[in-house]
């Protein structure tokens, strides 16, 4: 089939890259499937997830991934004593007002995509296939195989150079051939995994909800929009009688345009994809004359790759020449590459066990990030679980009002991890600290309050305190009783692993109101995780020697967020709208009045579970 970017001749090279880097896995995603050539090739080796936002591509994927060989059409044969291809080809069709292709893409409508005779058959067969499925004479996998066969057969009599952005003024020889529906070309498979899935979604949206092992990415390279290039195939596949216009009769309603074919949006679309993709191994087919230069794409991928390692394999000249009609474009040699990197999917958990930490909700929060994150401000940083795990292209800012918490995070960020662990273990040993050792704990707590108010000592105290609470009296004396927990191998490893994914880290101590957002570039993302007004926790009860959270502070925060929104910055606010019969009316009215978006991100808390929401202005 003539198709832009078809990777049929590149399949063996893709196999060789997978073999070279010893890429293993069970789930393979073909995320910009086109004619489903890659998924079809891989279906013997993996469970396939196939996606494309064009419906005709979805048809090809369903046809090839639901069938291991050409369907036998047993029920059809029992009813008609024939196979459906012979039956359809022998059918006679007459003009009708509802024959959409005949009435809109032939000389009858002053367009020359098809001869009138061939268009009649295309319309008639398309409706017949639908009717056979409606009557349960063909099953779902047979329906998609027949529909895919029709689409592929249509391309063999189209009076075009390959796409449907224009038609020839004369009748090309292929267009004058009598139309016949022939079985779709596909690979026979020994087995078909029942877990194969085909999607008809925007890839960047879908990636937020699927995961697997290997992802193959073959985005559009140029400004050519597939919705325009293959609009006739889309209409035949959907047969939805769209509103059309222009010389070529392009679809007008609900046309899906790819941001990967828009110069101003392509790079941020890749950034969003790399951030959201939850697959271990990433393979990208790309060209040196794509909208985003290869060097820029590789630099972008390094932000999201394990250890920043990205590999480039250049497609051999012979295979590339088979994929392209010209060796040069704009005087430059054309070549294609396969880019491979392993995605860094790790989430580090802060060693500071601090109430309200969002470590269990991180995937749900990150799913809601905007497409571009240059600078991320964790404005109420706490244990720094959120900001530490964000991959921002420029900077992450950690801000925390509580000076005791700030000093612990500052120590964890700036210390040599192994030296810090050595100090911690020596202090624990010298003070005989252990689980439930009340006297030793109280003695060390007293030493901290009277003699050595150091961040490392407070960090150790919190390890052995009741429920890991960090609480002070009005004299700023630590007063949490002993608990059942303590220092262990898990906590030791968390200290070793705790580093921000964004190398450029700025640490700031102070209240959120003191952050001058004008210092940051427009589009900076500000994240807020305040104490929740309608829940009870040690950090909003006003008994820590610090001011507690109340309605006045809630109102100040909402006003600050309104200023951020007006100034052109993004914000994300974690909160609870309802809990145990209470409603945060301040928050509810503010959200409703400003029409901000609310996303439910999950439940937290074991004794009194609360439904957490994320409010955002984008």
């Amino acid at each position: 089939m003539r198709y832009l970017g078809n990777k049929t001749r590149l399949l063996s090279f893709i196999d060789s890259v997978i073999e070279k880097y010893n890429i293993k896995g069970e789930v393979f995603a073909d995320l910009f499937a086109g004619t489903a050539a890659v998924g079809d090739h891989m279906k013997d080796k993996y469970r396939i997830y196939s996606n494309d936002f064009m419906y005709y591509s979805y048809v090809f994927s369903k046809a090839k991934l639901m069938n291991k060989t050409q369907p036998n059409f047993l029920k059809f044969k029992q009813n008609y004593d024939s196979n459906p291809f012979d039956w359809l080809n022998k059918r006679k069709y007459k003009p009708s007002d509802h024959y959409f292709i005949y009435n809109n893409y032939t000389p009858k409508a002053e367009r020359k995509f098809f001869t009138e005779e061939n268009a009649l058959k295309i319309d008639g067969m398309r409706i017949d296939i639908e009717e056979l499925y409606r009557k349960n004479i063909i099953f779902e996998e047979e329906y998609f195989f027949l529909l895919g066969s029709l689409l592929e057969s249509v391309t063999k009599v189209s009076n075009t150079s390959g796409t449907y952005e224009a038609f020839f003024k004369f009748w090309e020889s292929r267009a004058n051939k009598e139309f016949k529906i022939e079985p779709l070309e596909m690979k026979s498979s020994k087995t078909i995994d029942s877990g194969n899935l085909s999607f008809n979604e925007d890839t960047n949206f879908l990636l937020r909800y699927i995961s697997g092992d290997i992802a193959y990415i073959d985005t559009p390279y140029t400004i050519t929009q597939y919705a325009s290039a293959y609009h006739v195939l889309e209409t035949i596949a959907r047969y939805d009688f769209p509103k059309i216009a222009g010389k070529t009769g392009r679809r007008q309603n609900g046309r899906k345009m790819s941001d990967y074919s828009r110069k101003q949006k392509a790079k941020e679309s890749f950034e969003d994809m790399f951030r959201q993709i939850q697959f271990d191994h990433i393979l990208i087919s790309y060209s040196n004359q794509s909208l985003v230069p290869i060097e820029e794409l590789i630099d972008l991928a390094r932000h999201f790759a394990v250890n920043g390692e990205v590999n480039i394999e250049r497609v051999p000249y012979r295979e590339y020449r088979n994929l392209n009609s010209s060796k040069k474009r704009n005087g430059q040699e054309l070549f294609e590459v396969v880019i491979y990197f392993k995605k860094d999917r790790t989430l580090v958990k802060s060693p500071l066990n601090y109430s309200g930490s969002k470590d269990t909700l991180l995937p749900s929060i990150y799913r809601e990030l905007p497409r571009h994150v240059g600078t991320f401000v964790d404005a109420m940083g706490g244990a720094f679980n959120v900001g530490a795990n964000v991959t921002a292209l420029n900077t992450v800012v950690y801000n925390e009002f509580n000076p005791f918490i700030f000093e612990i995070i500052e120590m964890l960020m700036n210390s040599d991890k192994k030296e810090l662990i050595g100090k911690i273990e020596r202090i624990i040993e010298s003070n005989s600290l252990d689980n439930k050792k009340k006297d030793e704990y109280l003695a060390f707590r007293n030493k901290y309050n009277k003699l050595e108010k150091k961040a490392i000592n407070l960090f150790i105290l919190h390890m052995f305190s009741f429920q890991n609470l960090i609480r002070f009296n009005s004299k700023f004396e630590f007063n949490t009783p002993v608990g059942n927990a303590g220092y262990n191998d898990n906590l030791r490893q968390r200290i070793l692993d705790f580093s921000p994914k964004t190398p450029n880290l700025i640490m700031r101590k102070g209240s959120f109101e003191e952050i001058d957002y004008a210092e940051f570039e427009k589009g900076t993302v500000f994240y807020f995780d305040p104490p929740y007004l309608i829940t009870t926790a040690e950090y909003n009860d006003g008994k820590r020697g610090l001011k507690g959270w109340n309605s006045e502070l809630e109102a100040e925060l909402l006003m600050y967020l309104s200023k951020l929104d007006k100034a052109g910055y993004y914000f994300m606010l974690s909160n609870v709208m309802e809990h145990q019969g209470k409603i945060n009316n301040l928050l509810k009215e503010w959200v409703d009045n400003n029409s901000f978006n609310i996303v439910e991100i999950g439940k937290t808390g074991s004794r009194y579970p609360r439904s957490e929401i994320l409010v955002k202005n984008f």
Side-chain angles (χ1 to χ4, degrees):
M1 175 177 170
R2 296 178 298 170
Y3 192 75
L4 284 175
N6 190 301
K7 291 299 181 288
T8 300
R9 295 184 183 274
L10 199 61
L11 296 174
S12 60
F13 184 71
I14 296 171
D15 285 338
S16 71
V17 174
I18 291 174
E19 182 178 356
K20 177 177 179 177
Y21 292 98
N22 194 29
I23 298 171
K24 304 293 184 183
E26 296 179 359
V27 177
F28 182 103
D30 185 7
L31 294 172
F32 296 81
T35 60
V38 175
D40 186 40
H41 175 73
M42 299 292 181
K43 67 188 180 186
D44 258 346
K45 306 173 187 176
Y46 310 98
R47 185 188 322 149
I48 305 297
Y49 293 171
S50 178
N51 181 64
D52 201 293
F53 73 171
M54 299 304 296
Y55 186 75
Y56 67 81
S57 174
Y58 173 74
V59 170
F60 284 130
S61 291
K62 293 283 281 187
K64 294 179 180 181
L65 298 180
M66 293 179 75
N67 295 287
K68 59 182 180 181
T69 59
Q70 179 178 327
N72 53 33
F73 298 102
L74 285 178
K75 195 170 182 180
F76 181 93
K77 291 175 180 177
Q78 289 171 358
N79 280 268
Y80 294 98
D81 194 28
S82 173
N83 71 63
F85 296 97
D86 290 341
W87 183 81
L88 287 168
N89 285 325
K90 291 176 181 178
R91 295 269 286 166
K92 303 298 181 183
Y93 301 101
K94 296 180 180 180
S96 171
D97 289 342
H98 62 269
Y99 275 18
F100 197 82
I101 304 303
Y102 170 76
N103 286 299
N104 292 284
Y105 297 104
T106 69
K108 183 176 175 61
E110 298 185 357
R111 298 185 181 107
K112 298 179 73 171
F113 283 111
F114 307 103
T115 64
E116 293 178 13
E117 294 78 11
N118 284 343
L120 279 176
K121 292 188 173 185
I122 294 169
D123 281 309
M125 291 182 187
R126 176 64 185 90
I127 293 172
D128 276 346
I129 292 170
E130 201 68 32
E131 184 67 4
L132 291 169
Y133 182 56
R134 186 189 72 84
K135 291 181 175 180
N136 295 318
I137 295 173
I138 55 175
F139 300 111
E140 183 183 12
E141 65 272 19
E142 296 172 334
Y143 167 79
F144 280 105
F145 187 84
L146 279 179
L147 193 48
S149 298
L150 177 68
L151 294 173
E152 187 174 75
S153 299
V154 162
T155 64
K156 297 175 182 178
V157 297
S158 299
N159 193 39
T160 71
S161 60
T163 70
Y164 296 83
E165 294 176 298
F167 48 80
F168 292 129
K169 293 181 179 179
F170 57 91
W171 290 109
E172 193 189 32
S173 58
R174 71 168 61 229
N176 280 315
K177 293 179 181 178
E178 181 184 1
F179 178 75
K180 289 186 177 181
I181 182 171
E182 297 175 341
L184 176 68
E185 292 182 16
M186 59 173 272
K187 178 183 176 183
S188 293
S189 173
K190 296 176 183 177
T191 59
I192 284 289
D193 193 309
S194 59
N196 287 349
L197 297 173
S198 297
F199 300 95
N200 182 212
E201 299 284 354
D202 177 278
T203 295
N204 285 46
F205 168 80
L206 180 66
L207 284 175
R208 287 161 160 79
Y209 301 97
I210 63 171
S211 61
D213 304 304
I214 307 167
Y216 175 70
I217 297 163
D218 183 24
T219 65
Y221 298 167
T222 68
I223 60 172
T224 298
Q225 289 284 354
Y226 281 64
S228 298
Y230 296 100
H231 66 96
V232 174
L233 294 187
E234 186 75 358
T235 294
I236 295 171
R238 291 184 180 276
Y239 217 75
D240 53 355
F241 305 95
K243 181 180 178 181
I244 63 174
K247 188 175 181 179
T248 61
R250 288 192 298 180
R251 299 168 62 88
Q252 299 300 297
N253 298 332
R255 273 199 303 156
K256 296 181 177 180
M257 311 302 281
S258 173
D259 284 343
Y260 290 95
S261 292
R262 293 173 171 170
K263 194 167 186 178
Q264 302 304 318
K265 294 187 176 183
K267 188 172 181 179
E268 74 171 26
S269 296
F270 272 111
E271 178 190 340
D272 182 59
M273 179 198 295
F274 292 161
R275 181 176 290 108
Q276 297 296 342
I277 197 166
Q278 296 303 309
F279 285 73
D280 294 323
H281 304 280
I282 316 300
L283 295 163
I284 310 162
S285 282
Y286 215 58
S287 163
N288 69 317
Q289 292 204 3
S290 300
L291 292 181
V292 180
I294 285 182
E295 295 77 13
E296 289 186 23
L297 188 63
I298 292 169
D299 287 341
L300 182 62
R302 288 194 176 105
H303 287 274
F304 303 92
V306 173
N307 299 322
E309 184 177 338
V310 179
N311 304 279
I312 305 96
E313 298 293 330
R314 184 160 170 167
V315 176
Y317 174 76
R318 179 177 58 82
E319 282 83 351
Y320 185 75
R321 285 287 291 150
N322 283 330
L323 293 170
N324 297 272
S325 59
S326 174
K327 181 183 176 182
K328 292 189 176 182
R329 184 183 298 156
N330 299 325
Q332 293 183 337
E333 181 189 1
L334 284 166
F335 62 86
E336 185 156 337
V337 299
V338 170
I339 300 168
Y340 165 66
F341 68 92
K342 189 171 183 181
K343 169 77 184 287
D344 182 359
R345 296 178 62 187
T346 58
L347 290 175
V348 297
K349 185 176 180 179
S350 173
L352 181 63
N353 294 314
Y354 194 52
S355 290
S357 290
K358 291 295 180 291
D359 53 286
T360 60
L361 296 177
L362 292 180
S364 297
I365 293 171
Y366 297 151
R367 183 186 298 155
E368 302 302 327
L369 285 167
R371 294 165 76 86
H372 170 65
V373 183
T375 298
F376 183 90
V377 180
D378 198 349
M380 295 172 155
F384 199 33
N385 278 300
V386 176
N389 284 288
V390 167
T391 301
L393 298 193
N394 300 326
T395 304
V396 162
V397 178
Y398 170 78
N399 182 77
E400 172 57 36
F401 169 71
N402 186 322
F404 302 102
I405 301 301
F406 178 86
E407 288 168 8
I408 291 174
I409 298 300
E410 185 178 45
M411 173 190 70
L412 290 168
M413 289 292 104
N414 296 334
S415 301
D416 178 278
K417 297 296 195 297
K418 291 184 178 179
E419 289 182 6
L420 177 62
I421 286 172
K423 290 179 183 178
I424 289 170
E425 292 177 350
R426 287 193 294 272
I427 291 171
I428 291 173
E429 183 178 2
S430 64
N431 288 275
S432 302
L433 297 174
D434 202 350
N435 297 2
K436 301 181 182 180
K437 282 191 174 183
K438 181 178 179 181
D439 292 341
E440 290 82 352
Y441 172 82
L442 291 176
F444 184 63
R445 189 179 75 176
N446 187 61
K447 182 189 296 186
Y448 169 80
N449 286 326
K450 304 299 182 185
L451 301 173
E452 299 181 37
K453 280 200 170 182
K454 298 179 181 179
I456 190 170
N457 291 336
L458 179 59
F459 182 47
I460 293 170
L461 271 174
H462 121 281
M463 297 178 192
F464 294 91
S465 69
F466 175 71
Q467 293 185 351
N468 299 125
L469 297 182
I470 297 178
R471 190 179 66 191
F472 300 88
N473 62 23
S474 60
K475 297 179 181 180
F476 292 104
E477 294 175 330
F478 186 82
N479 65 358
T480 312
V482 70
N484 298 323
Y487 180 74
N488 52 39
D489 289 341
N490 176 267
L491 191 53
R492 184 181 190 276
Q493 191 61 47
R494 281 162 58 186
I495 295 171
L496 284 171
D497 294 340
F498 193 50
S499 297
K501 288 196 173 183
T502 302
N504 188 21
L505 172 65
I506 296 174
M507 303 195 69
R508 184 187 178 282
K509 179 167 61 177
S511 174
F512 70 89
E513 304 107 313
E514 298 167 359
I515 300 174
D516 182 4
Y517 51 78
E519 296 178 359
F520 299 93
E521 71 271 17
K522 294 295 174 68
T524 293
V525 182
F526 291 79
Y527 172 73
F528 297 83
D529 183 24
Y532 297 158
L533 192 63
I534 57 174
T535 66
T536 301
E538 71 279 358
Y539 55 28
N540 66 350
D541 60 11
K543 299 176 182 177
R544 298 177 298 145
L546 300 165
K547 61 180 180 180
W549 194 260
N550 55 31
S551 297
E552 183 176 350
L553 284 171
E554 184 88 354
E556 287 182 21
L557 173 59
L558 299 182
M559 178 62 73
Y560 185 83
L561 294 177
S562 293
K563 292 178 181 178
L564 276 177
D565 179 60
K566 186 176 180 180
Y569 296 93
Y570 294 136
F571 73 74
M572 303 170 73
L573 168 68
S574 283
N575 219 305
V576 169
M577 189 73 77
E578 299 182 26
H579 183 62
Q580 293 187 315
K582 290 183 180 179
I583 298 176
N584 185 337
N585 289 302
L586 284 177
L587 178 63
K588 183 178 185 302
E589 294 302 320
W590 174 75
V591 170
D592 290 346
N593 186 55
N594 290 280
S595 299
F596 293 136
N597 295 313
I598 296 179
V599 181
E600 294 184 7
I601 59 172
K603 290 185 179 293
T604 57
S606 55
R607 187 175 180 184
Y608 300 110
R610 56 184 182 266
S611 295
E612 303 245 0
I613 63 169
L614 198 66
V615 181
K616 58 181 192 173
N617 67 334
F618 54 92

